[in-house]
Amino acid sequence: MRKSTHLTVSSAAAVLAFCAFTALGTVPTTGATGRPAAAGRAAAAAAGPDSPTLPLTRSATSTEIAPGVTETSLVVGRTNTADAWTVQVNQPLTDGGPYDRATAALGPKARADRLAAALRAKGYAPRVEEIRTPAYADRPAGTLGWTVRVGRYADRPAAATVLAGLTRAGFAGENRYTAQDGTDPEALQRVFVLRVDFKQFTGRVDSDFGPSVDAPEHLTDLVTSTRALAGINAQWSADSGAPLGLYVKDGRLLSAATQGRGGVRMARGGRELDVDTYTTRITVSAGGATREIDGINRIPGEIWNCGGVGGDQPTEHPQQDFKCTDDSELVRFTSDWTTPPTGAGAEVVLDRDDRVTAVNRTRGAKPPAGGSTIQGIGEGAQWLIAHARTGARLGITQRVLDGVGHDVPLTPDTTILQVGPTLVRDGLVSVNAVGDGIIREGIDQTHTYNWVVRGNPRSMVGVDDQGRLLLVVVDGRQVGWSSGLSITGGAELMKSLGAREALNLDGGGSSVMVTTGSGIVNRPSDTTGQRSLSNVLLVRPNAAGR
């Protein structure tokens, strides 16, 4: 009988990962299907369509996109009859807080017990479940918190009816499907893998974006407009549409780092790939004074995912999906941005040689072709007014540093995407959960539970010992189709696919894979279909970039 009170993320991905690895190595190409074998019976998978039926139905279909480029679609696991819809009852963020406006998915044991007692007083039969996390590279295994649930129901409408009654009784919550908890190692999953073998493939893999760095675009449109063979989503985006974290394209620094967060560096058209942690150091000198530039191509004062410099509040530590603020900043805008934000402050307009062509006491000028602007707010605006002079050339330095503090050369063939967390380093599962900010600071661990621990759609990139690039998408949040993986589950999948290095990309509703022959090959979790993306990874048929 499946245990439902303890989350065992590491084991939850083991069966999926092994079966995916087996299938990739054994199924025939060009549309053939088969049933990959479970552990200990790998040889049976080589028999293809006539292999024996397994206790769990698993299938794989591989298609050659181009010489050296293969797309494999896997169905792994099965629907467990023990899975059901349930009602998760929210907990207040403080002891004694109101239940009807509670927002936390989990909390300390004593708080969960008090909520359970309040539910019993209203005639409900709640259960209190411990949520545990595995050991990460920078955090030991332990209890994340306790969640409170009511009932097990065959379908969502039945659970929704109970949730409505709980709401009328003065509680708040939401419906959950237990297959997405991460407790079942054989939960139904759909996995899609693009494998690029550079021993045969003569093209390149690199990044691209829409008409401007702040204008998101559908992956299908980018694949079509660039004549790419295939692609997947890459970085997450801010409200502006621009990518979050370090972004280098063709050696050009287009977005500053979320300091110390994981990223992937690619060179030589994807033939060279490294996963590491990255920081940036960007300064401007004028009139004998030097000041740090806080960001590139983002809204001044808003630091999504935090990890900034210069006194950001409430923290300079990375925090996934959280916005820090700073009322005194300098932010540089390149000509890749459409129209920078307007507002109070100051700005300088620079030509392609970083010579000042204008000093403005308001913000919003468009950067000239090949040039840039530097916007200042608060003390940053005062610094620009005091030191920048029309006709003077500013000294701008831009450094990208790896995890040991070495400068990363930004050659014309360099691509860097900072997303995270890291998943595999030197062939071992290595999730830098605290350093990457996926473990939230503070008491409320709802985001950590939902984003890190539970099953979600995931996109990942990696490289194996043979230098083959792996672009992977796993669907999730879709009952009867695919449950999704935890962060650790994604790491174990990439390791078992043979990855020597691997990094998590943006996921959730952004997870999408496209090939020229099939269009969208997975099933994005948003009911509206694929999202517009800040940037993507593309498999191109030749060395021509954009």
Side-chain angles (χ1 to χ4, degrees):
M1 181 175 179
R2 186 171 58 121
K3 291 180 68 176
S4 60
T5 57
H6 292 272
L7 184 73
T8 53
V9 178
S10 297
S11 63
V15 173
L16 164 63
F18 184 85
C19 293
F21 180 58
T22 304
L24 280 173
T26 57
V27 295
T29 58
T30 319
T33 61
R35 300 182 186 275
R41 296 183 58 198
D50 298 324
S51 59
T53 300
L54 299 173
L56 301 176
T57 302
R58 301 182 175 109
S59 65
T61 302
S62 288
T63 303
E64 185 179 72
I65 307 300
V69 181
T70 304
E71 186 275 313
T72 301
S73 300
L74 299 130
V75 181
V76 182
R78 45 88 173 106
T79 299
N80 190 330
T81 56
D83 284 319
W85 284 95
T86 190
V87 179
Q88 173 190 285
V89 186
N90 290 345
Q91 302 175 44
L93 295 176
T94 59
D95 293 339
Y99 288 142
D100 61 341
R101 296 190 298 277
T103 58
L106 70 171
K109 180 66 159 58
R111 193 175 299 161
D113 286 341
R114 282 193 293 270
L115 173 58
L119 288 164
R120 291 188 193 98
K122 294 287 187 177
Y124 293 97
R127 59 190 186 276
V128 177
E129 299 177 351
E130 181 184 12
I131 304 299
R132 294 182 58 83
T133 57
Y136 299 114
D138 54 1
R139 186 178 190 269
T143 300
L144 186 66
W146 300 78
T147 190
V148 179
R149 289 179 168 181
V150 171
R152 296 180 183 275
Y153 309 99
D155 53 39
R156 186 164 194 164
T161 298
V162 175
L163 176 59
L166 281 162
T167 301
R168 290 191 297 270
F171 300 95
E174 59 184 280
N175 294 134
R176 292 288 177 97
Y177 190 62
T178 60
Q180 298 169 22
D181 287 345
T183 56
D184 188 353
E186 297 176 340
L188 181 64
Q189 308 286 359
R190 309 272 175 156
V191 182
F192 307 86
V193 182
L194 276 171
R195 187 169 64 184
V196 182
D197 187 348
F198 290 107
K199 294 177 182 177
Q200 304 176 56
F201 182 55
T202 59
R204 61 187 289 112
V205 177
D206 58 16
S207 177
D208 214 335
F209 55 90
S212 62
V213 75
D214 60 324
E217 191 163 342
H218 287 149
L219 178 57
T220 48
D221 294 334
L222 283 166
V223 167
T224 299
S225 64
T226 60
R227 298 181 181 179
L229 297 170
I232 68 169
N233 62 294
Q235 285 180 286
W236 34 63
S237 61
D239 293 343
S240 64
L244 293 171
L246 175 62
Y247 181 36
V248 175
K249 174 177 164 55
D250 302 331
R252 298 177 58 240
L253 184 58
L254 298 178
S255 182
T258 302
Q259 305 290 21
R261 194 159 199 180
V264 60
R265 181 190 67 85
M266 293 191 298
R268 298 176 54 235
R271 289 162 177 80
E272 183 179 313
L273 185 148
D274 292 312
V275 170
D276 207 338
T277 57
Y278 294 94
T279 58
T280 48
R281 295 288 180 265
I282 309 167
T283 62
V284 55
S285 298
T290 298
R291 193 187 190 284
E292 195 159 36
I293 292 177
D294 298 84
I296 297 177
N297 291 327
R298 67 164 173 80
I299 305 299
E302 298 183 1
I303 309 97
W304 276 104
N305 289 343
C306 303
V309 295
D312 300 347
Q313 295 297 322
T315 180
E316 291 184 8
H317 190 279
Q319 289 287 276
Q320 173 65 27
D321 283 346
F322 186 84
K323 182 173 74 173
C324 287
T325 59
D326 188 346
D327 60 6
S328 178
E329 285 200 312
L330 291 182
V331 174
R332 189 181 192 188
F333 289 88
T334 69
S335 56
D336 304 276
W337 188 284
T338 50
T339 302
T342 59
E347 70 185 3
V348 295
V349 181
L350 308 176
D351 64 15
R352 64 178 63 248
D353 296 318
D354 295 332
R355 195 171 300 278
V356 180
T357 63
V359 179
N360 302 323
R361 291 180 179 267
T362 58
R363 298 182 292 119
K366 183 176 177 61
S372 64
T373 65
I374 300 177
Q375 291 195 358
I377 59 173
E379 187 274 331
Q382 298 171 17
W383 190 94
L384 288 177
I385 295 298
H387 299 286
R389 297 290 180 266
T390 301
R393 186 174 181 179
L394 302 188
I396 298 178
T397 64
Q398 299 186 146
R399 299 174 62 198
V400 175
L401 307 175
D402 63 18
V404 294
H406 294 159
D407 281 276
V408 179
L410 301 185
T411 59
D413 69 342
T414 297
T415 292
I416 303 177
L417 298 166
Q418 190 182 43
V419 198
T422 60
L423 299 176
V424 179
R425 304 291 302 276
D426 298 323
L428 300 175
V429 168
S430 181
V431 177
N432 54 330
V434 176
D436 226 305
I438 64 173
I439 302 292
R440 278 282 179 88
E441 296 177 359
I443 295 174
D444 185 12
Q445 292 297 320
T446 296
H447 179 270
T448 305
Y449 176 45
N450 289 337
W451 196 86
V452 179
V453 173
R454 286 177 54 80
N456 286 286
R458 306 284 180 190
S459 296
M460 295 158 282
V461 58
V463 64
D464 67 14
D465 282 330
Q466 299 181 50
R468 295 177 299 188
L469 195 67
L470 300 169
L471 304 176
V472 180
V473 168
V474 180
D475 280 346
R477 301 179 189 160
Q478 300 175 69
V479 177
W481 175 259
S482 188
S483 299
L485 292 174
S486 68
I487 286 291
T488 301
E492 291 183 339
L493 171 62
M494 293 302 289
K495 180 179 182 293
S496 291
L497 289 173
R500 170 175 47 85
E501 304 284 326
L503 180 80
N504 183 66
L505 300 174
D506 189 15
S510 296
S511 286
V512 61
M513 179 181 289
V514 169
T515 67
T516 52
S518 302
I520 300 175
V521 300
N522 71 309
R523 184 183 290 180
S525 63
D526 287 359
T527 57
T528 53
Q530 65 172 320
R531 293 180 182 176
S532 295
L533 305 171
S534 60
N535 56 28
V536 300
L537 282 168
L538 296 177
V539 182
R540 304 180 190 265
N542 52 56
R546 117 185 155 111

